[in-house]
Amino acid sequence: MASSNNTTYGHQQLENFLLDPTYLNFNHGSFGTAARSVLDAQHNYVLQQEARPDIWFRETYKTLIVETREKVSKECGLSTADNLVLLENASAAVNAIFRSLSLQPGDIFVYFSTAYGMVKHTAAWLEVDKGIKILEVQITVPITSTQSLLDPMRDALKYLSAEEKAKVKIATFSHISSVPAFIEPIKELAEIVKSVNPNALVLVDGAHAIGQIPVDIPSLGNIDYYLSNAHKWLYAPKGSAFLWTNPQQIDTLRPQPSVISSENNVAGGTDYLTRFGYTGTKDFTAYLSISDSLDFRDSLEEVNGKGSIIEYTHGLAEWAGDHLTELWKTSRLSPPEFEAALFNVVLPTTDYDLATQMQTDLLNDHGIYMLALLDQPTNIVYTRLSSQIYLERDDFVKLGDLVLDYLTRSS
Ligand SMILES: Cc1ncc(COP(=O)(O)O)c(C=O)c1O
């Protein structure tokens, strides 16, 4: 059971993490960072695993994984844990689903231009291996309203022929996209896809969601798969994620993990939970630590109020977005309601090479990690920043001043 040493949000939280004191992390989003007490809990599992290996793999791990699945399911608004499995990351979940589908040449895979690279690469593999077709729908920034996301999808599907519509087999949306980071209107997007072909499968890539925004899977409407990483925003160790499959698809489509283990006999009808429950001998302790990361968060929220982590990180992001756009005389890539703790601010330069050099120099000279990004096809140079419970307004003030100073000196 992992708990917090210090409960005050802001710099005092650094005590609960292992971040280097000389490193100022504005990019929690890419890899997260685990809480100290959660890593201690994980280490305790490792000790049990190594002390009595057979007991661990045959009994203890199997009991703990059920408890963890139940806790995660409850956190996601699910009334049963029967459809949720744990795995190592979002990439494993996407690959498990798409590579176990039986697809025919000409079947269509739809996604936005902002889909994560791994999703695009998995689709590209299906294109090469199975002859499917990819329909990439361009999102143009800045987005100004929900229609900026719904209209391009609606239009792209509207002009398909009746034959092509019937071939739309998979659509993937990000609950929060990676770069740029936007919260996507999942329910409405799923409705658009299913209105074109009711049999199309909708997978929601929520890699950035759990811990950053409330996740309530039933409220997302008619979706078939939902996955999220616990190692990004939930403070769990690396290699911890979950996948929910709509029960309607579990028996008909039989999703398989990428690794088929000694406990997974496809011909013998091994069930979904067993298939994903054991994927060969490895360290599964990160999966179990998701439970401890939920405990860690509960211990903070017992003092600061339920929902206070998200409230603090969103509030800080919104303040920082306002501060930086005012200081840099630039803009955001969307209205604030499309952003959560991840937010995009246009940098006060149009020179991407200079921005990437600045990223390197800020790290080397000030220990600051900040991503410089280039949007295509607009050529807008921007940064995607992460707010966190261990950051304060002062950190963003410092970043704002350093960026302005750097770019003024370099121009
Ligand atoms: C939207 C999105 N999906 C999937 C992933 C992949 O996550 P992982 O590397 O943990 O598999 C990421 C990683 O940043 C992401 O941003």
Side-chain angles (χ1 to χ4, degrees):
M1 173 113 181
S3 64
S4 51
N5 287 332
N6 200 312
T7 51
T8 310
Y9 298 144
H11 292 159
Q12 291 186 46
Q13 278 305 315
L14 288 167
E15 199 186 312
N16 289 329
F17 293 87
L18 290 112
L19 287 161
D20 178 340
T22 65
Y23 185 79
L24 187 47
N25 189 18
F26 289 109
N27 187 30
H28 186 99
S30 286
F31 303 107
T33 191
R36 188 185 293 276
S37 62
V38 179
L39 288 168
D40 289 345
Q42 184 189 18
H43 186 58
N44 193 26
Y45 296 133
V46 173
L47 294 179
Q48 291 180 57
Q49 172 182 285
E50 300 310 322
R52 308 177 87 199
D54 274 72
I55 310 304
W56 173 262
F57 281 102
R58 294 179 201 279
E59 292 172 19
T60 320
Y61 161 65
K62 300 227 155 139
T63 308
L64 291 174
I65 203 171
V66 174
E67 287 172 20
T68 309
R69 286 187 15 251
E70 282 169 356
K71 220 155 143 179
V72 176
S73 300
K74 201 163 157 226
E75 183 70 21
C76 295
L78 299 166
S79 55
T80 168
D82 288 352
N83 312 311
L84 184 140
V85 292
L86 306 178
L87 21 65
E88 53 269 51
N89 50 40
S91 305
V94 165
N95 273 269
I97 294 304
F98 292 150
R99 294 174 71 177
S100 56
L101 290 176
S102 121
L103 295 165
Q104 305 304 319
D107 284 349
I108 298 175
F109 189 138
V110 186
Y111 54 71
F112 277 132
S113 52
T114 48
Y116 190 65
M118 167 274 296
V119 169
K120 295 186 181 183
H121 290 160
T122 309
W125 183 84
L126 294 171
E127 187 179 37
V128 171
D129 193 63
K130 306 242 192 278
I132 66 148
K133 288 190 178 153
I134 293 171
L135 176 58
E136 177 169 320
V137 179
Q138 183 67 41
I139 289 185
T140 308
V141 298
I143 60 167
T144 51
S145 72
T146 309
Q147 297 314 321
S148 310
L149 299 168
L150 299 183
D151 287 349
M153 184 55 63
R154 211 178 270 121
D155 289 349
L157 296 176
K158 190 164 75 188
Y159 294 112
L160 295 178
S161 67
E163 197 190 335
E164 285 169 324
K165 283 181 180 159
K167 289 194 168 170
V168 172
K169 289 288 164 64
I170 319 166
T172 300
F173 301 110
S174 309
H175 202 172
I176 302 177
S177 54
S178 177
V179 284
F182 300 125
I183 301 173
E184 295 183 4
I186 297 299
K187 194 167 175 209
E188 293 83 350
L189 288 165
E191 273 164 18
I192 292 172
V193 171
K194 303 255 175 170
S195 71
V196 167
N197 180 2
N199 296 323
L201 298 168
V202 173
L203 178 140
V204 181
D205 172 2
H208 276 287
I210 190 95
Q212 185 179 176
I213 53 173
V215 172
D216 182 57
I217 295 175
S219 71
L220 296 174
N222 196 358
I223 63 167
D224 299 282
Y225 309 98
Y226 188 94
L227 58 100
S228 188
N229 278 331
H231 52 229
K232 282 191 186 289
W233 294 89
L234 209 65
Y235 312 134
K238 307 286 174 281
S240 57
F242 67 85
L243 164 70
W244 170 84
T245 303
N246 187 318
Q248 286 179 344
Q249 310 306 354
I250 287 181
D251 293 332
T252 47
L253 299 174
R254 289 185 292 121
Q256 286 289 348
S258 301
V259 173
I260 295 182
S261 76
S262 60
E263 294 189 9
N264 182 352
N265 179 358
V266 183
T270 305
D271 67 22
Y272 168 75
L273 296 179
T274 311
R275 292 200 291 271
F276 282 89
Y278 183 74
T279 45
T281 309
K282 65 172 194 177
D283 187 342
F284 292 98
T285 59
Y287 297 11
L288 307 178
S289 310
I290 304 177
S291 168
D292 301 283
S293 67
L294 289 168
D295 290 344
F296 167 71
R297 294 170 72 90
D298 281 350
S299 75
L300 291 175
E301 297 201 335
E302 253 165 47
V303 179
N304 296 293
K306 187 134 188 64
S308 56
I309 295 177
I310 285 178
E311 214 172 282
Y312 179 86
T313 51
H314 291 199
L316 181 58
E318 197 163 343
W319 182 89
D322 286 347
H323 171 75
L324 294 174
T325 48
E326 203 171 302
L327 181 74
W328 294 344
K329 300 191 176 27
T330 61
S331 56
R332 288 178 154 102
L333 294 183
S334 70
E337 62 268 25
F338 288 87
E339 298 172 334
L342 273 179
F343 60 107
N344 320 288
V345 183
V346 177
L347 284 166
T349 179
T350 51
D351 183 342
Y352 180 56
D353 289 339
L354 178 60
T356 53
Q357 186 56 49
M358 176 175 71
Q359 174 177 328
T360 307
D361 291 342
L362 287 181
L363 178 62
N364 292 339
D365 299 344
H366 302 279
I368 284 178
Y369 199 87
M370 180 219 75
L371 280 179
L373 296 160
L374 179 68
D375 181 69
Q376 292 289 12
T378 61
N379 282 332
I380 293 173
V381 179
Y382 71 101
T383 177
R384 184 200 69 181
L385 297 166
S386 299
S387 154
Q388 250 315 327
I389 54 170
Y390 51 75
L391 294 175
E392 295 185 4
R393 289 183 178 188
D394 281 0
D395 298 316
F396 289 98
V397 169
K398 179 175 175 183
L399 174 72
D401 293 344
L402 284 171
V403 164
L404 203 55
D405 182 54
Y406 185 96
L407 293 174
T408 310
R409 278 190 289 111
S410 310
S411 61

